[in-house]
Amino acid sequence: MQLGRRGLSPVMVGRRAHLQRLRELTERGESAVVLVVGEAGVGKTRLTQELLGATPRRYVVGQSDLSAFGRSFDAILDLLDRLDATADAATGQVPDRLGALRSELAQLDPELPAQAARRRIDGLVERAADLIVSLVGDGGIVVFEDLHWMDAESCAVFERIGHASGVVLVGTARPDSLTHRAPAAEMLLRLERRRDVEHVTLDRLSETELAQLVTAVSGVRPARPVVEALHARTGGNPYVVEELLRAVGDDVSAAATAPLPWNLAELVRLRLTGLDERTRQVAAVLAVLSGRSEPDFDVLVAVSGHSEADVVESLRRLVAADLVEETSPDVFVFRHALTAECIAGELLSRERRRVHRDALELLTARGDADPAALAVHAAGAGDTDAVVDAARRGAVEYRQRGVCRRALWIAELGLESAPEDLVLLAEAATAAWMSVRLDDAADHAARWLAAARRSERPEDAVAALVSAARIAHDLGDRETSRRRREELCELVAQLGPSEERARAVAAVAQLLMLDHRAVEAVAWADRAAGEAAAVGLDEARLAALVEKGSAMLDIAGMEAQGAELLRCTGDEASAAGHHVLAARAFNNVASLADHSPQRARAFVERMAASARTAGFDLLEGGGDAGSGGAAHHHVVLFASAAEGDAEAVLDALGDDPLGDQSSSRAPTKTILHRVRLLIDLGDVERADAILDELGADRVLGAPGPVDPGRRLVDAALAAAHQDLRAARDHLGAAASELARRSAADPATGHRHAQGIELAVLCAVRAGVEAQELRRLVDAVGEPTASTSRSSRMAALDVARGLVAEAEGSTDEALGWFEAAIGPITVSRGGPLVATAHVASARCRIATGRLEEAAGHLDAATPLLERWRGVRVHQLAAARRRLERATSDDGPALTRREHEVVALVAAGMTNVEIAEKLYISRKTAGVHVSNILAKLGVANRSEVAAWAVRNGLG
């Protein structure tokens, strides 16, 4: 009995919280009235379908029909028509009652006197409500779709059911259609005066949710520019998105620009039916004026050719028809961009050009117009010079205001008319980089650099080289970044003292810092600060200080000085309005400085505030990153992971850990960071799903061998699944690639430290042999005396210690764990430090130093009290091992667990154990986890050793 269009998507998107609320209400078994509201096509019917499709309770559904508006009991008749095949016929009475009532409702005598008709209708209302309630029984669900079209008699039945006990009554409605003319409006007011009505409001989809919907329908995750364009076009209405996808078939990217399907265009035309000619003319002008800027009311009046009073009256009618809304005083926009698109499309091209030309002349004469409006109307009027002029001014203005996506859009609009314009190319590359459109940024930077070289002025090439080098670095293309840095050094030698040379020297310092060539970076940063001060270039001076402070964090003994320099520089940059520099400074000091997690969170929140102001969306998932739109995720993920708050981490990841990051190559680093968190927390199924969506071919950097970061994540996940063969393969590939890259860049291992530590942690627990893990950690190389004890180094220390412990080298392992337990690491990873404490405790238990072991476990406990997953399991196991070491009681294993111990000792994986014992793989995994906890051991190798000692191996 589920009704209506289910849609193209096999899964419902963006409504998890709404569905959960409905389920809570229905599962209580108590009476409730729920009103689900939202505009047409937003997913009200799909939500009720999902609710009913999963409920074990009885339910009935009815739907109102606009074509039958005014027909008495129409919605009730619809419900009864659908009950024939589902009514309970245990006694044979319900079908008779149903059929009799249906006949009476359908044959209501219109000739009855008013008083008799009223009594007759009241009786039918009572009987219909009672029958429906009896059919669903206590705890049952009654659903009525489209209350806004419901007739008065059906409304009376709805209201009576709403007062019944033990029934959950659900109605869906469009709030804009619940006017005083709709009987349901008055009925709902009466009902709410007498009992609580739960309101569930469905909004349009966000860009992230729209990307999920497109992926679910097409199987292809759309690029970010496609998502942005499709969201702007559809407003995030699920029905409209699906209809556009249906029209374009497999070519998802075409949905943003494809002609409107006839059904959507016809829906708009139907909405215009009944409007007078003047109102249609005003709507047409408003549609043409609508674009990337809000239509100007005075321009609308002037271009329409009607008086202000007539235009106001026409707008009033468009608002009443729910086509237009007044978003702020005198600002009128179409509720759906597609409505404007369809209306404007009905005009001749000459008519559209005339409107744009008149609007351009009016706005130009005023002198205070928004650059976006000027650019749109100039483009529509065919005035290329005016387009370029507005685009130059607008791109700079929007970027400085932190509206980087808008800056990118207007710069690209201008480049259509002037593809070699250096200002527009520079703004396009910068805005694309700041808003994480890195592929677009690389393209614009390459065109900018080529055009600058053709100018034969070294000064023109400096900024282009700086941009190209940084973008190449963020894309993981280290070789191109290195070549660009060398070109910058050559240019520095050619230039005399100037602003361009100061910027070039600062850029070289930054690139050296990013490559962890810290000592060289500090030297170049000092030079850059001096040159910038000499020419009075304050922004370049501050940039040099950020690079210097960041580099000092990687030099032993200079961490505190670097952190203080970053803090002071961040304050100064923020006060001067250089918000990108402030965001970078605060982010880097939060990432690596010596302070508590709470103070780290405060710094990251300051970073987020600066990044939002600048529109700086770039997010690397590590040091030297900023965030604008992604700032909330970065703050919560960074600080919550450092504090060991698992729930906060999962809340920040939300339904879609890929988010808007997946459409460009470099943010894969961010995605892998999120996958590592899920594996760490034990949510391996969700990690699997993300990697499946990410795809086997999705790698960091230029084409070539798979990045070790992805290999390490795959190894950790395979180990978590107890797939030892796959884990070994991935670990071997990661070790080979790390060794190859580390030979050319010694800092490679530091960049992958967190992935190495997690892969080793999971692999040791799964029983991967120590010699295979030794190859991985040896590929990184030994730290030098000048290397800072940063959190990255701490992660490598833990990894090396775990390998040494697995080899039986207890003293070596203790040395590594002690190195990892230091104040500078706590700010970056409470769970990481806890793992070092737990492993150190295991080593001390093994050597009989039980009191010291207890101290380490006590230190680990508060760091993991809000965490979950493998680290928490190891803490519990170590606690049990310590308890056993101080008592004579052995572990209480069940008979089945003894069987599993013997099979583990025989070298079987979880899959093989499951097949041997005829149990599921998941059950086998649960048995192994329980055994590890009861025995107080860290991995399968120790289980095997225990089995041999106790005669089970």
Side-chain angles (χ1 to χ4, degrees), residues 514-517 741-742 744-752 792:
L514 291 171
D515 281 340
H516 297 277
R517 297 172 61 171
R741 297 191 183 200
S742 294
D745 180 4
T748 298
H750 296 177
R751 285 193 289 271
H752 295 286
R792 290 176 176 176

Side-chain angles (χ1 to χ4, degrees), residues 81-277:
D81 286 344
R82 298 171 187 274
L83 280 174
D84 279 329
T86 57
D88 184 358
T91 63
Q93 296 177 350
V94 172
D96 291 342
R97 291 172 58 199
L98 188 153
L101 178 61
R102 183 173 54 212
S103 297
E104 291 185 61
L105 294 176
Q107 298 171 15
L108 190 63
D109 186 357
E111 302 299 327
L112 283 174
Q115 190 171 3
R118 186 70 265 161
R119 287 197 301 270
R120 177 71 171 150
I121 289 172
D122 288 346
L124 290 172
V125 166
E126 182 177 349
R127 288 172 55 196
D130 291 347
L131 175 60
I132 294 169
V133 171
S134 68
L135 285 173
V136 297
D138 286 343
I141 306 170
V142 180
V143 176
F144 282 103
E145 295 270 8
D146 298 326
L147 295 182
H148 46 277
W149 291 331
M150 185 178 279
D151 60 275
E153 291 75 20
S154 295
C155 284
V157 176
F158 185 97
E159 184 176 359
R160 185 174 179 87
I161 295 172
H163 294 300
S165 61
V167 174
V168 176
L169 178 62
V170 180
T172 71
R174 302 176 191 172
D176 53 278
S177 298
L178 282 175
T179 65
H180 66 280
R181 298 187 184 90
E186 185 178 348
M187 177 271 292
L188 289 171
L189 288 174
R190 289 197 305 270
L191 192 59
E192 291 205 62
R193 283 196 292 266
R194 301 176 66 178
R195 65 160 304 153
D196 291 333
V197 175
E198 181 83 17
H199 288 257
V200 175
T201 302
L202 301 187
D203 296 318
R204 301 174 186 178
L205 301 180
S206 66
E207 285 188 6
T208 297
E209 292 165 341
L210 186 146
Q212 291 177 263
L213 178 63
V214 174
T215 303
V217 171
S218 66
V220 177
R221 191 171 185 90
R224 185 168 177 175
V226 174
V227 173
E228 292 172 359
L230 191 55
H231 192 272
R233 190 180 191 195
T234 65
N237 184 288
Y239 169 74
V240 177
V241 173
E242 290 189 345
E243 287 305 299
L244 284 172
L245 293 175
R246 191 194 300 273
V248 300
D250 295 334
D251 189 5
V252 172
S253 61
T257 56
L260 286 181
W262 72 269
N263 57 333
L264 293 180
E266 190 58 29
L267 282 174
V268 175
R269 295 188 189 101
L270 287 173
R271 301 292 296 277
L272 294 171
T273 302
L275 296 176
D276 61 90
E277 181 62 25

Side-chain angles (χ1 to χ4, degrees), residues 155 175 245 254 281 395 409 438 662 693 719-720 722-723 776 798 801 828 886 942 945:
C155 284
L245 293 175
Q281 290 175 0
W409 162 77
L438 297 183
S662 63
E693 188 170 353
Q722 299 294 323
D723 187 346
L776 177 67
V798 172
R828 186 57 187 262
T886 57
E942 294 187 34

Side-chain angles (χ1 to χ4, degrees), residues 44-55:
K44 301 182 295 295
T45 296
R46 180 62 183 269
L47 180 64
T48 58
Q49 287 176 343
E50 294 289 334
L51 171 69
L52 300 179
T55 185

Side-chain angles (χ1 to χ4, degrees), residues 176 195 283 329 385 440 451 478 647 673-674 689 762 792 917 951:
D176 53 278
R195 65 160 304 153
D385 290 340
D440 292 335
R478 310 285 177 184
E647 291 303 322
H673 172 64
R674 297 176 181 198
C762 294
R792 290 176 176 176
L917 299 179

Side-chain angles (χ1 to χ4, degrees), residues 613-626:
T613 302
F616 188 28
D617 291 335
L618 186 64
L619 179 63
E620 287 188 332
D624 194 55

Side-chain angles (χ1 to χ4, degrees), residues 576-588:
H578 302 307
H579 299 293
V580 171
L581 290 175
R584 290 185 55 229
F586 292 138
N587 182 75
N588 289 358

